[in-house]
């Protein structure tokens, strides 16, 4: 029996230190966070609803190149991906979000592989675990937008170059070498990014210049023809689309893309000034951003750090680029989050390996934060607002969970092995955040963005009409209009005025338009109202009669 126990323990240790264990454990971390939901789904009007609606237009019309009446301002890569998932799984929220969920999970694995090369295996796993519980990253892994897809391509391109460095160029007469193939695939990933995210792909590519230069000094990367060929091949789908679009719309195809770049670079939105990311990134990546600052300081101090160009150069340059651009939005900074996770892992690992009072101060200091969170949570519970209650549970979970850190520190002498204590201490940071995000998912914060609209279209009076009857859209716009466009199964026609809707037909119309004097001759029956719009049936139209 003792011999059997030893064998089982030996097998467990081997599995624990195997590559499979790392992937399986990370999968167990991220999968529940991607799947936990309230059981109800509704799209985020901006930007998810826009991408979903445009992809549906392609899918319904069968026109995948130029389904719009005028030139479009973005490249169609993400529309094609979502439309393809419509073809596979039908037009629904899951089809919109599944590409991001899949590529987000793969991005976590890729970050782990990057961390193994530039740091070590333990820090790499910790970085991937932190990455999976960063709030903004998880949110966009569950949204149908191009951001996660672009980050997947950027991380893939970086990993392929790092792998190529492990297999130096063979100076032989062979046309293909493993090094050249990896360089080609890396260039292809960066080139394909233009199809997915338009000119926004330029920002991470520019931020990678120090990394490219460092690779050039070691392996002459910038002289490698295959890297450039791969980049050009990656651009081919975009060039083909542009050419076909130009054949249909003329020069407006190019002008719209460039005009959008100009708008992003020059128009400030929502009053987000140049200091926007200084507070927004720490807030959306709390608490990992502050450990990342420690990790950044440690990497800068290391004289022999081989990959400073990517661990320091990339996030710093990208942060400056994002701050200089006038349009500043939270999701534009998503490309920073893998590197925040890497640097945070470096900082946390350093804390557990150095004899320093910081660990004690941090453990006791977080108890103050925990008490404040618990206090804030109790106050929030007394406020009768369902949206606030959705986030109150997270505050309470974090407050209670992080209170284990000072308890662990006080009981540290009970641990026979210091490494076991440090692992428990790290878990004391990760597990409460994981539980908090799981609670958020269960409450519908990541999947049900417009519950009022969802409840209306699922109601007994509206659901049969929306599912089976053709409905006219009367000058439908704004955020509610995006939802109406997606969830209306059969759109009869898009019209400018209520007078154009035939008798006995249904229509979505803005409430403010119904009462206009020009519609005084139109008699209608109101089915219901939601978000400033009315679903009506035209009973009599004297102008058409």
């Amino acid at each position: 029996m003792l011999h059997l126990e030893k064998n089982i323990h030996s097998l467990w240790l081997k599995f624990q230190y195997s590559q499979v264990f790392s992937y399986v454990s990370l999968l167990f971390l991220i999968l529940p966070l991607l799947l936990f939901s309230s059981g109800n789904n509704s799209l985020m009007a901006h930007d998810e609803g826009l991408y979903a609606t445009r992809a549906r237009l392609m899918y319904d019309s069968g026109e995948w190149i130029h389904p719009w009446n005028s030139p479009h301002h973005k490249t169609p890569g993400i529309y094609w991906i979502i439309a393809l998932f419509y073809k596979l799984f039908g037009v629904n929220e899951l089809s919109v979000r599944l590409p991001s969920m899949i590529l987000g999970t793969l991005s976590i694995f890729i970050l782990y592989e990057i961390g193994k090369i530039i740091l070590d295996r333990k820090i790499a796993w910790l970085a991937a675990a932190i990455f999976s519980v960063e709030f903004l990253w998880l949110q966009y892994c569950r949204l149908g937008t191009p951001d996660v897809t672009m980050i997947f391509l950027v991380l893939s391109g970086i990993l392929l170059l790092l792998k190529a460095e492990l297999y130096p160029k063979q100076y032989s007469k062979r046309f293909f070498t493993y090094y050249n193939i990896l360089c080609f695939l890396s260039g292809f990933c960066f080139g394909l990014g233009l199809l997915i995210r338009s000119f926004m792909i330029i920002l991470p590519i520019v931020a990678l210049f120090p990394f490219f230069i460092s690779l050039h000094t070691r392996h002459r990367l910038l002289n490698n023809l295959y890297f450039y060929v791969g980049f050009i091949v990656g651009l081919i789908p975009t060039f083909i689309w542009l050419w076909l679009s130009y054949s249909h719309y003329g020069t407006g195809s190019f002008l719209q893309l460039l005009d959008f770049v100009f708008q992003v670079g020059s128009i400030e939105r929502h009053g987000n000034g140049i200091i926007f990311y200084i507070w927004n990134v720490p807030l959306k990546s709390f608490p990992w951003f502050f450990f990342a600052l420690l990790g950044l300081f440690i990497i800068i101090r290391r004289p022999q750090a081989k990959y400073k160009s990517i661990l320091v150069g990339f996030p710093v340059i990208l942060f400056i680029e994002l701050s200089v651009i006038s349009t500043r939005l939270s999701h534009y900074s998503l490309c920073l989050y893998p590197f925040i996770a890497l640097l945070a892992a470096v900082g946390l690992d350093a804390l557990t390996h150095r004899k320093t009072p910081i660990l004690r101060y941090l453990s006791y200091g977080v108890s103050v934060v925990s008490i404040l969170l618990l206090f804030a949570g109790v106050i929030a519970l007394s406020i009768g607002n369902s949206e606030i209650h959705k986030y109150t549970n997270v505050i309470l979970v974090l407050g209670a969970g992080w209170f284990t850190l000072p308890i662990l520190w006080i009981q540290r002498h009970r641990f026979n092995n210091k490494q076991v204590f440090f692992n428990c201490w790290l878990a004391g940071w990760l597990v409460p955040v994981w539980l908090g995000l799981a609670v958020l998912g269960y409450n519908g914060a990541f999947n049900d963005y417009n519950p009022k609209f969802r409840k209306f279209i699922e109601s007994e009076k509206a659901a049969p009409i929306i599912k089976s009857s053709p409905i006219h859209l009367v000058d439908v716009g704004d955020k509610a209009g995006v939802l109406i466009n997606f969830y209306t199964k059969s759109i009869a026609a898009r019209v400018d005025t209520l007078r154009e809707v035939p008798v006995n037909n249904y229509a979505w119309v803005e409430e403010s338009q119904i009462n206009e004097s020009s519609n005084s001759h139109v008699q209608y029956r109101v089915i219901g109202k939601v978000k400033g719009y009315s679903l009506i049936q035209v009973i009599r139209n004297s102008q058409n009669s």
Side-chain angles (χ1 to χ4, degrees), residues 424-438:
C424 290
W425 190 81
L426 291 173
W429 285 102
L430 278 167
V431 173
V433 177
W434 188 93
L435 288 173
L437 292 172

Side-chain angles (χ1 to χ4, degrees), residues 351-516:
L351 287 174
T352 60
H353 281 87
R354 297 185 181 186
K355 292 183 178 180
T356 171
I358 294 177
L359 205 63
R360 180 175 72 250
Y361 298 149
L362 195 58
S363 299
Y364 289 135
V366 79
S367 65
V368 178
V369 176
S370 298
I371 292 169
L372 291 173
L373 287 172
L374 290 169
F375 185 67
V378 171
I379 293 174
L381 280 175
S382 64
I383 302 172
N385 187 306
S386 59
E387 282 301 308
I388 293 177
H389 286 176
K390 192 183 290 186
Y391 295 94
T392 300
N393 293 330
V394 182
I395 295 171
L396 292 172
V397 167
L398 287 177
W402 282 341
F403 210 76
T404 60
L405 290 167
I407 295 172
L408 278 170
W409 178 259
I410 292 168
Q411 299 295 322
R412 68 190 182 281
H413 301 296
R414 292 181 179 270
F415 291 88
N416 296 324
N417 188 321
K418 282 187 177 182
Q419 191 57 49
V420 173
F421 163 72
F422 288 136
N423 288 342
C424 290
W425 190 81
L426 291 173
W429 285 102
L430 278 167
V431 173
V433 177
W434 188 93
L435 288 173
L437 292 172
V439 169
L440 266 182
Y442 183 76
N443 289 340
F446 293 130
N447 61 284
D448 194 13
Y449 288 93
N450 284 280
K452 288 183 180 179
F453 188 86
R454 172 184 55 78
K455 288 174 184 176
F456 175 76
I457 63 174
E458 291 175 353
S459 64
E460 290 184 9
K461 56 184 180 180
I465 297 169
I466 291 172
K467 288 180 180 178
S468 59
S469 301
I471 302 175
H472 289 73
L473 305 186
V474 182
D475 195 24
V476 168
D478 64 40
K479 290 185 178 182
V482 171
L483 297 173
I484 288 169
N485 269 281
F486 180 79
Y487 285 105
T488 303
K489 299 299 180 184
S490 177
I491 298 174
R494 290 178 170 83
V495 296
D496 295 323
T497 64
L498 192 57
R499 290 171 295 175
E500 299 174 59
V501 180
V503 175
N504 295 326
N505 277 240
Y506 296 98
W508 282 105
V509 59
E510 202 168 357
E511 289 179 37
S512 59
Q513 281 195 29
I514 294 179
N515 299 320
E516 290 179 359

